[in-house]
Amino acid sequence: MPAPRTVLLTGAAGGLGTLMRKLLPPYGYRLRLLDLVPVADAPDDGTAITADLADTDALRAAVRGVDAIVHLAGISLESSFEKILRANIQGTYNLYEAARAEGVRRIVFASSNHAVGYTPRPAWDDAPPIPVGTPHRPDTFYGLSKCFGEDLASLYWDRHGIETVSVRIGSCFPEPTSVRMLSLWLSPADGARLLHAALTAEGVGHTVVYGSSANTRLWWDLSSARAIGYEPQDDSEPYAAKLIAEHGEPSPNNPANANLGGPFCTDPPVWPH
């Protein structure tokens, strides 16, 4: 399909949204921004919308007329089930309903590695990568909400013809900050490459991909991401020596190192709001 010109970016004030606000326009996109809080440095031209995903009227107005949606909004750490239900589960449903009502036919959904967080991590360097078809094994209510989002996307493809690429994002930061992140790091530039591929690939139906760079220590299979045209350019390995010197190699006796979700399986970080 031709590159969509106008894309609604939800969660535009968040960490990943802030990175993508700068990196997606060079691919030819006009961004319409949506967040619960005002977007810093947003243009004063009506393209930045402050609204809650629970406000279905505002959400439908935000969706109206766009060519595609990149859905990054929601709680990105663990929280109470009630908060996760409202922001991530009900909010994502509201977004898909708005897309259906307004005829939007392509969504890129920010899923997470925590949808399969209790999957055992590869135990040795040459172990087979974790396949994208591995069953859901959420490590938190947050991870559970990402399982819901992937399954909702599947339903809306089968029932309503809305195509979605669900991206199980690892850790998208300017550089990795932990030894674990060496295996899951998605550089911001590769993040933009992956979102662009997800927005433009033809015939995706509902496709699930892992979102990371081409890391030397990669734990999972990027073949479905490459199949939609993603060509990662970066690798976390240049950061490895410094991080290992600071933090040491992960101990196999630490339960937090046993599974893909890492500390989310043992002592998950809690959403501060």
Side-chain angles (χ1 to χ4, degrees):
M1 62 183 292
R5 295 296 302 169
T6 302
V7 172
L8 175 65
L9 180 68
T10 75
L16 182 55
T18 297
L19 292 170
M20 293 305 115
R21 290 199 331 255
K22 300 173 182 177
L23 292 171
L24 283 177
Y27 286 92
Y29 301 111
R30 291 190 300 266
L31 297 182
R32 186 180 297 174
L33 310 177
L34 176 73
D35 206 293
L36 179 63
V37 299
V39 178
D41 302 321
D44 187 21
D45 59 2
T47 58
I49 302 161
T50 303
D52 193 315
L53 293 175
D55 185 342
T56 55
D57 291 336
L59 188 56
R60 184 161 174 179
V63 165
R64 188 169 299 132
V66 303
D67 299 295
I69 300 167
V70 174
H71 182 41
L72 308 180
I75 291 172
S76 59
L77 299 172
E78 181 62 316
S79 189
S80 68
F81 181 75
E82 290 74 18
K83 290 181 180 179
I84 293 288
L85 176 64
R86 183 179 186 278
N88 292 18
I89 295 176
Q90 186 70 49
T92 299
Y93 165 76
N94 289 345
L95 180 81
Y96 270 82
E97 271 297 285
R100 180 194 61 77
E102 294 297 331
V104 179
R105 288 291 175 257
R106 176 65 60 92
I107 296 174
V108 181
F109 170 61
S111 186
S112 170
N113 66 97
H114 298 292
V116 289
Y118 268 113
T119 301
R121 52 161 282 192
W124 57 91
D125 290 342
D126 59 349
I130 297 171
V132 75
T134 194
H136 285 164
R137 294 187 69 174
D139 52 28
T140 45
F141 291 136
Y142 164 69
L144 182 66
S145 74
K146 297 305 182 178
C147 296
F148 170 84
E150 290 183 12
D151 288 342
L152 185 75
S154 178
L155 173 64
Y156 271 67
W157 162 240
D158 288 331
R159 181 168 291 178
H160 303 297
I162 296 175
E163 292 192 291
T164 298
V165 178
S166 292
V167 183
R168 289 179 183 162
I169 298 170
S171 300
C172 189
F173 295 97
E175 61 182 65
T177 60
S178 70
V179 176
R180 174 178 175 270
M181 204 181 293
L182 293 170
S183 299
L184 306 178
W185 183 58
L186 176 65
S187 74
D190 277 344
R193 292 183 186 102
L194 180 51
L195 294 184
H196 176 59
L199 287 164
T200 55
E202 295 185 0
V204 298
H206 176 230
T207 296
V208 179
V209 304
Y210 287 119
S212 69
S213 292
N215 302 316
T216 297
R217 300 165 189 255
L218 189 66
W219 286 342
W220 52 37
D221 182 7
L222 290 179
S223 61
S224 64
R226 294 181 185 276
I228 64 169
Y230 173 51
E231 292 296 338
Q233 302 297 310
D234 298 320
D235 184 348
S236 64
E237 200 61 20
Y239 303 98
K242 179 176 181 289
L243 287 169
I244 291 170
E246 290 176 354
H247 303 287
E249 290 281 5
S251 169
N253 297 321
N254 184 345
N257 298 327
N259 299 311
L260 180 61
F264 274 63
C265 297
T266 55
D267 186 23
V270 176
W271 186 246
H273 308 297

